[in-house]
Amino acid sequence: NEFCERFSYYGMRAVLVLYFKYFLQWDEDLATSIYHTFVALCYLTPILGAIVADSWLGKFKTIIYLSIVYTIGQVAMAVSAVHDITDSNRDGTPDNMTFHVALSMVGLFLIALGTGGIKPCVAAFGGDQFSEHQDKQRRTFFSVFYLCINGGSLLSTIITPILRGQECGIYSQQKCYSLAFGVPAALMVVALVVFIVGSGMYYKAEPEGNIMLDVCKCIGFAIKNRYRHRSNQYPRRQHWMDWAEEKYDKLLIAQIKMVLKVLFLYIPLPMFWTLFDQKGSRWTLQATTMNGYFGTLVIQPDQMQTFNPILILTLVPIMDSVIYPLIKKCGFNFTPLKRMTVGMFLAAMAFVCAALVQVEIDKTLPVFPSASQSQLKLLNMGSSAVTVNLPGNEPLTLNAAQASDKYFTFETETIIVSVGSPVMTQTIFLKRKSRQTLLIPSVISDEWLLVMDLGLIEPFYYSTYSTIKNGETKFSLLSGSQSCEYIKDFGFGGSYTFFIPRTFVFGPNCQDSITVVEDIEPNSVHMALQIPQYFFITAGEVMFSVTGLEFSYSQAPSNMKAVLQAGWLFTVAIGNFIVLIVAEIAKLPNKWAEYVLFASLLVLVCIIFSTMAYFYTYIDPSEIEDQFSKKVDDDEDDKDKREKTEIKMVRRDSAESDDDSYKQSNM
């Protein structure tokens, strides 16, 4: 069940940002914002799931009901990615994008509710199946359980990008996002069915009330009581939580104090998650501008996320068995909070690496027109060379069936172009913030075509751009019974125009007369350059996240470990909201500058956290709880002694009254 659920979640999430950009046609900023909003909701809903399970439905029913919600959400996402539903003109593009956006947003909300709601229940429900004397079996279960989590995550980030890269459709073939979402949806159905089938084998504990609600009520009462007694006439108390003593048990108050002490340390932690979760958004979008050829193996941009689970499975045992013992032997007290500080610093280093990679990418990317500019490329459609004069540029000679080497940039919307001898002039109206191609006909006096986008192609005309899969592609040119095959190897991110001249003749060497114009160079910066940033972010995760969970568990009272777990998940949600805030406020034109900004913010937060950690005193919650238990036992012993003394005195009084009734007294 856990393997299928994690495959479903991470598989869908791996391709999500590319679905936003390429299917829904959103820009990178909007795609990133919605992605992080979704992730934030996934880490907010566990609080709701824990309350529902502990206070109302119990873990079993909560898992069942929210898994159904989860499954419906996954199915909705798969249906939203079927372009043929609204593609009435069958051109491969949905005609009613509102339908697809609305259905995908509903699907994501249901997925966030489902995956977050069952998150605090599944592991705990598994642990409930073992009795107190089955420690060995319980440890084995959790080992297999976490192996399934990592296995599902690893396989899904490999498989779903491959599914997305396939082409599917009823009327037109497009990237198969519906399959990439459909397989996780099917696995979620399998997970639900398997879990229900085993129903008769489970021990189902009844809900016993939610400790989180008790904690919130106690804190609320302390604040309210302190506000009521805010005047100076009331004596001050050692801690503000002591104002709850009138209503709540001292042990509960002491436990809440321990929890609040750790929660205070959590305040800087969201900044780590702000950087960490961008590997699924900004880093994936960065990979779309890179070369994914690893020898004969082709890596899709969203498959780069696979390095994270692979490195986790590698680094966790290395850290535990080699790095930490080695540091200890060197005499350095590498406490959990120090490890977390180093983990935050490593995450900042990962974003410095990402910024350096982005600088290299920017060197190879074409310069597109700004909002006030237009760009123009020239294409000679004739069979003889022509000389073209463009305003502000040197005269340019274009051979027959040739294009200009570059795009010319203009600040005005209207330009005058002169061609040939005698000179023929044309007034061209350009569209701002766009790249356009001017087709110069063989007969200069004929109509000049200005095209935004370069099937059956009419003579002296053009087709729209077609999206081609990277790698070797074969084209067939057909005219009646005659045919010509043309083979071209395409790289990631390239854009080309193929020119078939009027002198084209079918034959064995027909492909030699076809002219290829490279509008945009293929991606040349290799995806392997992202590996260092994935290494640093994963090393940071192992030192920060794994250690943080261990620290939280060790510092939490026995009955409030779920409260700190909820607090930990809440920091993840806040971290994803910070991405939205910083990205919207900063509005930096260069992505590398945004990466540097995030790295700088985390370094600043790292310094603050290290200062807080320096003044933190580690505690043993069980010892504190035992002190209160001992105090209660002592109080009960004192009470028993007082009761026994009173009984003796009453008995003595009764004995004396038989002889001397006049000496009776009330005590």
Side-chain angles (χ1 to χ4, degrees), residues 7 10-16 18 153-166 175-177 179-181 184 284 298-306 469:
F7 187 108
Y10 283 108
M12 178 275 305
R13 182 172 148 177
V15 302
L16 187 59
L18 299 184
S153 169
L154 177 60
L155 287 178
S156 65
T157 49
I158 295 173
I159 294 172
T160 50
I162 295 174
L163 299 177
R164 176 195 61 80
Q166 306 304 308
K175 292 296 182 183
C176 208
Y177 288 98
L179 183 62
F181 292 143
T284 299
V298 179
I299 300 295
Q300 297 297 325
D302 33 358
Q303 283 182 315
M304 284 301 292
Q305 299 175 55
T306 307
K469 189 177 180 181

Side-chain angles (χ1 to χ4, degrees), residues 24 60 78 157 245 299 324 471 475 542 570 575 578 633 665:
L24 299 183
F60 177 75
T157 49
E245 289 180 351
I299 300 295
Y324 294 153
F475 299 91
V542 171
F570 188 71
I578 292 174
D633 292 340
S665 59

Side-chain angles (χ1 to χ4, degrees), residues 433-453:
K433 204 180 178 181
S434 299
R435 283 186 156 194
Q436 294 135 100
T437 302
L438 180 63
L439 308 183
I440 302 172
S442 55
V443 180
I444 303 299
S445 58
D446 288 350
E447 180 186 2
W448 293 21
L449 293 175
L450 183 68
V451 299
M452 297 294 295
D453 294 320

Side-chain angles (χ1 to χ4, degrees), residues 519-592:
D519 301 326
I520 299 175
E521 293 182 6
N523 303 339
S524 57
V525 178
H526 203 275
M527 281 187 197
L529 289 181
Q530 280 196 323
I531 294 176
Q533 64 200 58
Y534 273 98
F535 174 80
F536 279 117
I537 200 75
T538 307
E541 179 190 6
V542 171
M543 299 193 78
F544 178 88
S545 183
V546 176
T547 305
L549 289 170
E550 174 196 336
F551 167 77
S552 300
Y553 193 88
S554 68
Q555 298 297 290
S558 57
N559 63 336
M560 293 193 185
K561 300 190 186 297
V563 177
L564 280 184
Q565 179 68 17
W568 180 265
L569 295 175
F570 188 71
T571 65
V572 182
I574 297 300
N576 280 273
F577 282 128
I578 292 174
V579 179
L580 312 182
I581 296 168
V582 174
E584 288 299 319
I585 292 176
K587 290 288 184 184
L588 298 175
N590 297 315
K591 290 188 180 68
W592 66 264

Side-chain angles (χ1 to χ4, degrees), residues 120-425:
C121 302
V122 177
F125 183 73
D128 287 346
Q129 307 310 306
F130 302 91
S131 59
E132 291 182 4
H133 66 276
Q134 293 179 310
D135 289 338
K136 182 180 178 182
Q137 290 88 337
R138 187 187 291 108
R139 283 196 300 272
T140 304
F141 164 76
F142 279 115
S143 297
V144 176
F145 183 80
Y146 288 113
L147 180 65
C148 289
I149 290 176
N150 287 288
S153 169
L154 177 60
L155 287 178
S156 65
T157 49
I158 295 173
I159 294 172
T160 50
I162 295 174
L163 299 177
R164 176 195 61 80
Q166 306 304 308
E167 293 190 344
C168 61
I170 301 172
Y171 306 120
S172 60
Q173 300 292 300
Q174 299 295 330
K175 292 296 182 183
C176 208
Y177 288 98
S178 55
L179 183 62
F181 292 143
V183 170
L187 282 177
M188 196 58 222
V189 172
V190 172
L192 180 59
V193 170
V194 167
F195 189 69
I196 293 174
V197 166
S199 174
M201 303 163 63
Y202 304 146
Y203 165 72
K204 302 163 189 173
E206 293 296 323
E208 300 177 353
N210 195 300
I211 188 65
M212 281 193 288
L213 290 178
D214 295 336
V215 170
C216 293
K217 287 178 182 177
C218 185
I219 292 173
F221 179 79
I223 294 172
K224 186 167 65 175
N225 200 31
R226 176 68 185 90
Y227 181 76
R228 280 195 203 132
H229 302 87
R230 61 186 180 276
S231 64
N232 293 330
Q233 68 184 41
Y234 296 101
R236 295 175 63 85
R237 304 199 180 182
Q238 190 175 3
H239 192 280
W240 62 271
M241 274 303 302
D242 293 335
W243 289 95
E245 289 180 351
E246 284 85 340
K247 186 176 180 180
Y248 290 91
D249 183 62
K250 288 186 177 181
L251 176 59
L252 176 64
I253 294 171
Q255 291 170 330
I256 293 175
K257 287 179 184 178
M258 289 184 266
V259 168
L260 291 175
K261 190 178 178 183
V262 178
L263 289 178
F264 178 72
L265 271 181
Y266 281 2
I267 293 174
L269 303 192
M271 200 64 215
F272 173 87
W273 302 113
T274 298
L275 276 68
F276 178 79
D277 280 328
Q278 287 190 61
K279 71 184 190 306
S281 57
R282 289 295 199 209
W283 287 11
T284 299
L285 292 172
Q286 184 187 62
T288 62
T289 60
M290 303 178 77
N291 179 4
Y293 286 102
F294 286 76
T296 57
L297 184 65
V298 179
I299 300 295
Q300 297 297 325
D302 33 358
Q303 283 182 315
M304 284 301 292
Q305 299 175 55
T306 307
F307 279 100
N308 179 246
I310 291 174
L311 287 170
I312 284 178
L313 294 173
T314 306
L315 289 177
V316 168
I318 291 175
M319 290 286 190
D320 288 339
S321 59
V322 179
I323 304 298
Y324 294 153
L326 193 61
I327 293 174
K328 189 176 181 181
K329 280 189 176 181
C330 293
F332 185 70
N333 184 19
F334 203 33
T335 62
L337 292 179
K338 289 177 182 176
R339 292 183 204 172
M340 292 174 68
T341 304
V342 173
M344 295 170 82
F345 181 75
L346 290 174
M349 289 298 299
F351 265 65
V352 172
C353 292
L356 294 174
V357 170
Q358 190 62 48
V359 169
E360 291 301 310
I361 293 172
D362 290 346
K363 293 176 183 177
T364 65
L365 293 179
V367 179
F368 290 101
S370 66
S372 62
Q373 295 175 330
S374 302
Q375 288 184 340
L376 184 68
K377 192 168 205 169
L378 303 174
L379 180 58
N380 181 9
M381 305 282 284
S383 55
S384 59
V386 295
T387 301
V388 184
N389 289 286
L390 294 172
N393 292 277
E394 295 291 326
L396 172 69
T397 300
L398 288 177
N399 294 324
Q402 291 294 322
S404 58
D405 294 332
K406 64 176 183 178
Y407 281 88
F408 297 93
T409 303
F410 300 97
E411 300 292 339
T412 58
E413 291 185 78
T414 304
I415 62 171
I416 296 176
V417 181
S418 58
V419 177
S421 179
V423 175
M424 177 75 181
T425 61

